[in-house]
Amino acid sequence: LQLVESGGGLVQPGGSLRLSCAASGSSLANYVIGWFRQAPGKEREGVLCINVRGGTVNYAESVKGRFTISRDNAENTVYLQMNNLKGEDTAVYYCAGGGSSCYAGFDYWGQGTQVTVSS
């Protein structure tokens, strides 16, 4: 499974972005997919996860009500919709694929996409 993130960029506070995680080499429908982020000088943290049945797990209280995760198995893509962005959302965002659950390890990682929230 190969994963490629896209959709990052520079956005003003309060703005929105939609990140995409496109899969190749295997059907994404068979994998749990998580979004993670790493800000400069900070450890990587989980954001949201979606399992093979479409159930979601929110890892980060700070994004609750602002970020949503969805999957389109026909497009072999998982999306992260980010609304009402704040400066503290600035980070490199990664998607990752696993085979068990949102609480297990992730074996496949994308290269990341930069999100910068600034006026």
Side-chain angles (χ1 to χ4, degrees), residues 52-71:
V52 297
R53 293 175 299 280
T56 62
V57 171
N58 188 333
Y59 297 130
E61 186 69 21
S62 63
V63 308
K64 192 171 289 185
R66 299 188 298 123
F67 291 11
T68 56
I69 188 171
S70 61
R71 64 192 306 153

Side-chain angles (χ1 to χ4, degrees), residues 1-17:
L1 179 70
Q2 291 84 46
L3 301 172
V4 177
E5 303 93 337
S6 62
L10 173 65
V11 62
Q12 292 186 343
S16 297
L17 281 175

Side-chain angles (χ1 to χ4, degrees), residues 33-102:
I33 300 294
W35 281 98
F36 298 81
R37 66 185 182 184
Q38 188 166 21
K42 294 187 177 181
E43 292 188 355
R44 186 177 65 201
E45 67 170 344
V47 180
L48 284 163
C49 177
I50 188 164
N51 64 28
V52 297
R53 293 175 299 280
T56 62
V57 171
N58 188 333
Y59 297 130
E61 186 69 21
S62 63
V63 308
K64 192 171 289 185
R66 299 188 298 123
F67 291 11
T68 56
I69 188 171
S70 61
R71 64 192 306 153
D72 185 336
N73 291 336
E75 294 293 327
N76 228 22
T77 302
V78 168
Y79 301 100
L80 181 67
Q81 178 68 43
M82 306 186 295
N83 299 326
N84 190 21
L85 282 158
K86 304 177 181 181
E88 53 262 42
D89 297 318
T90 295
V92 178
Y93 284 71
Y94 301 89
C95 65
S100 179
S101 81
C102 289

